[in-house]
Amino acid sequence: MQLKYSAPRGTEDFLPARVQLLNWIHAACRQELERHGYLEIRPPLFEDTSLFRRAIGDVTDVVEKEMFTCERGDTSVTFRPEATAGVARAYIENKLDKVRPFQKFYYIGPMFRFERPQAARQRQFEQVGVEAIGSHDPRLDAEVLHLAARLLDCLGIVGYRILINTLGDKDDRAQYRTALGAFVRPRLASFCAECQARFERNIFRLLDCKNRDCQRQLEGAPSLVDSASAATRQHFTEVQNALGALGRSFEVDPRIVRGLDYYTHTVFELRLPGLGARDTLVGGGRYDDLLEELGGPQVPAIGFSLGVTGTLLALEKAGIAEKHSREPACTVFIVAIDDQERLAALVLANELRQNGLVVDLDFENKSPKAQLRSAGKRDARIVLVLGESERSRGVIQVKNMDDGSQHELPMDGDLAFELQRMLEGGNAGQRSGENG
RNA sequence: GUGGCUAUAGCUCAGUUGGUUAGAGCGCCUGACUGUGGCUCAGGAGGUCGAGGGUUCAAGUCCCUUUAGCCACCCCA
């Protein structure tokens, strides 16, 4: 069983049943996002490599070792590892600040990161996310965060934790970097090797090290809020108040620092325990300086993204995935008894389809019995049987698959209308089993 | 980039201390009086046991290499 070709590492074929599940997720998210006034935006799947370097940060791992980059002559483009950079670029390029300074966007689509796949982690993966650009209002932070949680709620995911923190502004971070450095330096030797490297590279990353010993070392470390400016502290407090007003419970966790360089002030994660290596379903935060850094206007912004791969895993564990993974049924199936009727069946299917019915028929030259079986497997609610005796009399057998009853209808009447009536009137019975 | 685990039919897996034509369940196909599904019964197709090499009279079973998948680290949705 040696296959000549297989899907590239870290990619996945979504077969029809799974696509149903994805579509359901998309639809549920879309509805909730649009209820909150977010409009869909679709930047390209790849951008100039330099955009990501600038936006995400040159020394982040995402940029250093996870980019799918394509060089062609003197241009270098990269498949987007995340969407914020592209949306920010689009906002700037289209001068949206002149049109309507405050705008709320959402996106749904694939992202690409060249890394080793593992649980809930693929090289091509999908994110649902939002970017609200043009407001520094702490109520917006709360809305965005609440919206992230709402998406999980709408999908039926329960038991997630909301963790929030503030990274303050540039000055806050500069000051905190010094304070944290002063705390860590004397005991640096007792941190893990990776943390020792992080100490030079990005000291904040020490805070979310998974190593227990490192965490213990950090007990009593200063937190950013302590040394932050009054304005930063007030913003953070107001975010928390607004969240409370929305009825969201959350935990303030000073170890939430996020790995992308553009974050400022409010950052947050929604975590669902028990998912494996990556239990963060949603990550996000403010990025008040990013647009300016990319050469745009000085406008603040905030966003999040939800990882669909992890969400799929969560839905499977919760037993929600299965009932949204069924292949769609065809409502009418046409059985041709003899070869003479096969062409007529195709033509009839075409007519019924044009009248809005979901119709299918046999393409494998199966026996009538086998055709019926196919119809049953496809969950057809009505089977039309076309044989010689029907043809000669200008009628067709209409079989109700739910109760097995059968009657004749004239071919020249409004067959589509009659079938519709049967389906709507419940004559063909309700779908057995599931409700809603 | 580093480490661990796995690799047998379409799917989920059994395969005893290496020993005759490699099994099950599900799925698929066919049939059970002429043109009728779901249930039942009967039958059938489908595997060079991931690939390459080695040990042996004999290997799915032991050893080596390799590839892929899964999982973990890093990092992150």
Side-chain angles (χ1 to χ4, degrees):
Chain A
M1 193 182 49
Q2 196 179 9
L3 297 175
K4 195 166 182 183
Y5 298 109
S6 57
R9 167 170 285 189
T11 67
E12 194 180 349
D13 294 316
F14 285 88
L15 302 180
R18 196 118 173 111
V19 169
Q20 288 306 114
L21 177 61
L22 268 187
N23 283 342
W24 171 73
I25 294 172
H26 291 176
C29 288
R30 229 176 258 286
Q31 182 180 53
E32 193 61 16
L33 291 161
E34 286 173 6
R35 267 184 196 151
H36 285 74
Y38 288 74
L39 305 178
E40 186 175 4
I41 185 167
R42 292 197 192 181
L45 297 192
F46 55 87
E47 299 272 358
D48 277 352
T49 301
S50 54
L51 174 70
F52 296 121
R53 303 193 91 88
R54 189 79 182 89
I56 299 168
D58 255 329
V59 297
T60 57
D61 275 30
V62 170
V63 166
E64 274 190 341
K65 52 183 211 187
E66 294 178 4
M67 298 224 290
F68 272 99
T69 298
C70 179
E71 315 275 357
R72 204 40 80 82
D74 58 355
T75 71
S76 172
V77 296
T78 293
F79 284 93
R80 61 183 189 186
E82 55 100 61
T84 303
V87 173
R89 193 227 79 230
Y91 180 95
I92 296 166
E93 184 170 347
N94 293 286
K95 301 190 178 9
L96 297 184
D97 58 309
K98 314 262 199 233
V99 183
R100 197 155 31 110
F102 176 59
Q103 298 205 42
K104 303 199 286 191
F105 305 102
Y106 79 87
Y107 57 84
I108 297 178
M111 310 292 158
F112 307 84
R113 289 184 199 177
F114 194 89
E115 54 185 345
R116 285 280 280 274
Q118 55 182 297
R121 183 177 308 177
Q122 299 279 295
R123 286 184 176 179
Q124 177 181 325
F125 58 100
E126 208 173 72
Q127 285 185 343
V128 176
V130 311
E131 312 292 349
I133 304 176
S135 164
H136 198 276
D137 192 327
R139 290 177 309 143
L140 178 63
D141 302 40
E143 178 185 271
V144 166
L145 208 160
H146 179 252
L147 175 54
R150 280 294 305 156
L151 295 185
L152 297 184
D153 295 344
C154 289
L155 297 174
I157 294 172
V158 295
Y160 58 85
R161 299 165 63 202
I162 299 177
L163 305 174
I164 69 171
N165 189 25
T166 181
L167 297 179
D169 60 19
K170 276 196 196 92
D171 296 337
D172 296 326
R173 278 197 301 287
Q175 224 168 35
Y176 181 51
R177 197 171 287 119
T178 322
L180 187 60
F183 176 86
V184 170
R185 194 180 306 277
R187 54 202 98 189
L188 186 60
S190 47
F191 280 85
C192 70
E194 272 143 12
C195 276
Q196 296 187 23
R198 284 191 267 247
F199 181 78
E200 295 301 334
R201 223 176 106 167
N202 180 354
I203 189 169
F204 297 141
R205 305 283 330 177
L206 259 82
L207 296 172
D208 61 359
C209 179
K210 283 182 184 171
N211 191 314
R212 277 245 174 85
D213 295 329
C214 293
Q215 286 304 327
R216 204 164 300 130
Q217 289 297 321
L218 284 168
E219 279 168 25
S223 82
L224 185 138
V225 205
D226 300 336
S227 56
S229 70
T232 293
R233 288 209 301 272
Q234 192 192 340
H235 182 90
F236 195 42
T237 305
E238 285 179 25
V239 171
Q240 295 178 57
N241 288 344
L243 274 174
L246 286 169
R248 278 291 164 194
S249 48
F250 56 89
E251 303 158 52
V252 174
D253 187 340
R255 288 169 306 176
I256 302 293
V257 292
R258 309 300 304 149
L260 276 30
D261 279 0
Y262 51 63
Y263 285 117
T264 60
H265 291 284
T266 316
V267 288
F268 56 90
E269 292 182 8
L270 272 58
R271 287 190 193 160
L272 187 65
L275 281 188
R278 228 203 56 253
D279 54 8
T280 301
L281 249 26
V282 178
R286 273 206 167 271
Y287 48 97
D288 288 348
D289 305 327
L290 179 62
L291 276 93
E292 193 184 4
E293 281 169 14
L294 294 179
Q298 191 184 345
V299 287
I302 179 169
F304 71 75
S305 70
L306 175 155
V308 174
T309 318
T311 302
L312 286 172
L313 214 79
L315 291 172
E316 273 160 14
K317 289 208 167 175
I320 301 168
E322 202 195 335
K323 62 177 168 234
H324 296 284
S325 301
R326 260 197 298 269
E327 288 176 19
C330 83
T331 45
V332 177
F333 197 96
I334 305 176
V335 169
I337 299 296
D338 299 308
D339 287 348
Q340 291 85 335
E341 282 83 30
R342 291 190 192 276
L343 189 57
L346 178 68
V347 173
L348 177 59
N350 179 50
E351 281 167 20
L352 297 178
R353 287 165 179 163
Q354 285 180 12
N355 282 286
L357 288 159
V358 179
V359 187
D360 215 339
L361 64 155
D362 169 64
F363 286 99
E364 296 168 284
N365 278 300
K366 285 184 175 175
S367 69
K369 187 188 185 69
Q371 291 184 51
L372 252 301
R373 249 200 301 269
S374 303
K377 256 170 227 146
R378 299 286 303 280
D379 280 335
R381 296 180 61 191
I382 294 175
V383 164
L384 303 177
V385 182
L386 190 56
E388 183 172 359
S389 92
E390 285 79 17
R391 191 161 42 117
S392 61
R393 291 181 296 128
V395 298
I396 192 159
Q397 297 288 337
V398 179
K399 182 182 175 83
N400 178 337
M401 290 293 273
D402 293 323
D403 60 16
S405 67
Q406 194 165 324
H407 63 282
E408 287 184 353
L409 281 179
M411 281 286 274
D412 52 6
D414 194 343
L415 187 57
F417 177 76
E418 292 296 330
L419 297 178
Q420 290 284 18
R421 235 173 43 135
M422 253 180 90
L423 293 164
E424 282 162 20
N427 266 352
Q430 301 302 315
R431 277 254 81 68
S432 52
E434 300 304 317
N435 45 359

